[in-house]
Every structure is written in structure tokens, then in C-alpha cells.
Amino acid sequence: MFFTFKFFRRKPRVYTKIESHIYGIIIELLKVGSTDINVDELGGKYYLSNEEQHFKVTILSNDNVIRLTNTHDSVAEKYDKVFVEDVLRAVKEEKHRRMEVVYDSITNSIEKMAERLHNRLIESNEQDKSVRRLETKHVKGKKVN
């Protein structure tokens, strides 16, 4: 019975030389912070663009097409569905990671701002109390006619 489960296990995908090269290019682009990632989920289009390196990648998930563009050339090829899904998984993971970093940064900024506001309100409230004490002491010292 153990051997039947081993039979159904998915074997790791072996990419062709070209697929490995393209996958490597895309992974390297994703590692660079200046690479923009734009997604059109409804249209199944994913865009990577790095202006510094003059390089763009367009992934059309519905058609399993990947287009690589630089200043000199533009090449679009249809690839195996599993390969395109693996590339998209890497793109989506990086997009998600970047969104988490931005979300954490925004959350930290909001928390710090709320803490400063809270501290200012406490200080303001304490100043109001001390001013009221001074006013009441001053009024008590006066004689009323």
C-alpha cells in the first residue's frame, strides 16, 4: 500500500534549458526592489518592469504566453501551462511579500501616530487640570462684595 501512495506523488517538474533561463531572469527581476509588479487578475495579465535595466516581462496566464522585452528585442513565446503557473506563483509570492512590507510599514506609522496623539491628549488634559487649579485658587483668595 505504501508504494501506491508513492505512485500518486507529483514528480518535481524539470524545465527545459530555455524555461530555466527565463525562470532565472524573472526570479532575478523579482529580487530587485526597483522592479515594478502590476497585476490585472481579471484579464490574467502580469507585468514586471524595471526601468533601470530597460527590461519588461508580460505574462498572459490565460494563453500561457510570456513576453520578454528590452531596448533591442521583444520575444513572446507560448510555454507549458505548468511552467507558467510556477512563474506566476513566484510573481504572486513576491507581490504578496511586498504588500505585507507596505502594510506593516503603514500599520507601524499609524500606531506611532496614535501613540503620539494619545500622549498629547494626556499632556493637554494635565495642563487643563493645572490651569483650573490655579484659577480656583485665585478666585478663593478674592473677597466678594
Side-chain angles (χ1 to χ4, degrees), residues 108-121:
N108 288 339
S109 295
I110 290 171
E111 287 173 355
K112 287 178 184 176
M113 185 173 57
E115 185 178 348
R116 285 193 305 270
L117 179 61
H118 179 74
N119 290 337
R120 284 185 183 159
L121 287 173

Side-chain angles (χ1 to χ4, degrees), residues 93-111:
E93 285 174 2
E94 178 60 18
K95 178 80 171 168
H96 182 69
R97 188 194 67 76
R98 289 182 184 189
M99 288 174 65
E100 281 182 350
V101 168
V102 169
Y103 175 78
D104 289 345
S105 174
I106 291 170
T107 301
N108 288 339
S109 295
I110 290 171
E111 287 173 355

Side-chain angles (χ1 to χ4, degrees), residues 22-27 29-30 35-49 55-69 74-95:
I22 289 174
Y23 189 80
I25 290 171
I26 291 171
I27 294 301
L29 274 175
L30 291 173
T35 300
D36 294 328
I37 303 172
N38 295 304
V39 177
D40 173 13
E41 290 276 348
L42 293 176
K45 298 175 185 175
Y46 300 81
Y47 306 97
L48 305 176
S49 128
F55 204 87
K56 295 180 183 180
V57 177
T58 305
I59 304 165
L60 307 171
S61 64
N62 297 339
D63 299 325
N64 299 319
V65 171
I66 298 176
R67 174 183 294 277
L68 304 172
T69 305
S74 181
V75 177
E77 292 288 328
K78 186 170 183 133
Y79 293 95
D80 181 66
K81 182 179 181 177
V82 175
F83 171 70
V84 174
E85 287 173 354
D86 288 347
V87 169
L88 286 177
R89 188 175 306 111
V91 170
K92 289 175 182 179
E93 285 174 2
E94 178 60 18
K95 178 80 171 168

